[in-house]
């Protein structure tokens, strides 16, 4: 329970990594436990660096093309995402959604991924960037936090937004490894 988690002392980074090496399921259980601790204000203390990101093997890593994608969207004027509702398809570990929220102050960014493990890691990365070294929320110039601006959800493309009737103003995604598979699936369904 949350109260028990608050009373437990958290393992060191080395202990966490040893636990994660046991198996994929052990790593996922450790990540779920970490997310529960970050979600609880009483247990979320951590050190902080700008855009701190965690990745696990079952999630696509930010490769060269994703950094190129980030450079490309950074060439647009500030008005492209400011006060807009945005979805990122295939958010992976969430770093592009978080970067968009930090730079452009959108109304909301929905990071969507079909991989449930990616969604968990994205939430962890969101907390790692939304909190200061004492576990307190960091507020931007509009008195909002990254937790106000970003959400991550398991979704097959835009199904989450359709089901929740979320009206999007911008959709971004850098999916070179996913789109060809999606096209094959769509063609086979016809």
């Amino acid at each position: 329970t949350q109260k028990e988690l608050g009373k437990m002392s958290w393992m060191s980074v080395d202990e966490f990594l040893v636990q994660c090496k046991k198996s994929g399921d052990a790593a996922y259980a450790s990540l779920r436990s970490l997310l529960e601790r970050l979600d609880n204000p009483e247990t979320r203390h951590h050190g902080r660096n700008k855009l701190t990101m965690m990745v696990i093997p079952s999630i696509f890593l930010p490769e060269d093309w994703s950094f190129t994608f980030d450079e490309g969207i950074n060439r647009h004027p500030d008005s492209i995402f400011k006060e807009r509702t945005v979805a990122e398809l295939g958010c992976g570990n969430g770093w592009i959604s978080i970067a968009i929220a930090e730079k452009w102050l959108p109304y909301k960014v929905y990071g969507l991924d079909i991989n449930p493990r990616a969604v968990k890691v994205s939430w962890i990365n969101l907390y790692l960037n939304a909190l200061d070294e004492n576990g307190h929320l960091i507020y931007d110039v509009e008195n909002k936090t990254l937790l106000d601006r970003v959400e991550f959800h398991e979704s097959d493309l835009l199904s989450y937004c359709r089901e929740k009737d979320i009206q999007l103003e911008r959709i971004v995604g850098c999916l070179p490894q996913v789109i060809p598979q999606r096209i094959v699936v769509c063609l086979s369904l016809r």
Side-chain angles (χ1 to χ4, degrees), residues 9-20 30 34 37:
S9 64
W10 182 241
M11 64 181 84
S12 72
V13 171
D14 290 335
E15 293 169 327
F16 176 80
L17 293 175
V18 167
Q19 190 70 20
C20 290
S30 294
L34 175 59
R37 292 183 56 78

Side-chain angles (χ1 to χ4, degrees), residues 59-60 88-97 110-115 118-119 122 151-153 172-175:
I59 299 170
F60 289 114
E88 181 194 3
L89 302 180
C91 65
N93 70 357
W95 82 272
I96 290 177
S97 292
Y110 295 94
L112 308 172
D113 203 296
I114 198 166
N115 180 347
V119 173
S122 294
E151 293 180 17
F152 294 103
H153 299 281
V172 299
C174 187
L175 304 168

Side-chain angles (χ1 to χ4, degrees), residues 53-109:
M53 292 292 145
M54 175 184 290
V55 295
I56 60 175
S58 62
I59 299 170
F60 289 114
L61 297 174
E63 298 172 6
D64 289 342
W65 48 262
S66 64
F67 294 109
T68 302
F69 175 73
D70 182 55
E71 288 173 5
I73 61 174
N74 275 299
R75 292 182 183 156
H76 290 280
D78 288 347
S79 61
I80 189 169
F81 296 118
K82 181 143 180 72
E83 299 176 356
R84 308 277 187 176
T85 302
V86 181
E88 181 194 3
L89 302 180
C91 65
N93 70 357
W95 82 272
I96 290 177
S97 292
I98 295 167
I100 287 171
E102 280 198 337
K103 179 175 181 179
W104 283 293
L105 306 177
Y107 172 71
K108 183 70 83 173
V109 178

Side-chain angles (χ1 to χ4, degrees), residues 119-149:
V119 173
K120 292 279 190 223
V121 169
S122 294
W123 275 107
I124 289 169
N125 287 332
L126 180 60
Y127 277 106
L128 291 175
N129 288 282
L131 305 171
D132 68 16
E133 60 278 350
N134 296 313
H136 298 113
L137 291 168
I138 299 169
Y139 290 87
D140 60 31
V141 297
E142 295 178 352
N143 205 30
K144 291 187 175 184
T145 72
L146 284 173
L147 296 177
D148 296 322
R149 295 190 187 280

Side-chain angles (χ1 to χ4, degrees), residues 26-50:
Y28 188 59
S30 294
L31 288 171
R32 282 195 340 257
S33 174
L34 175 59
L35 181 56
E36 289 171 359
R37 292 183 56 78
L38 288 169
D39 201 28
N40 180 349
E42 295 176 15
T43 58
R44 64 169 57 147
H45 175 79
H46 72 89
R48 182 180 191 283
N49 294 321
K50 277 299 206 183

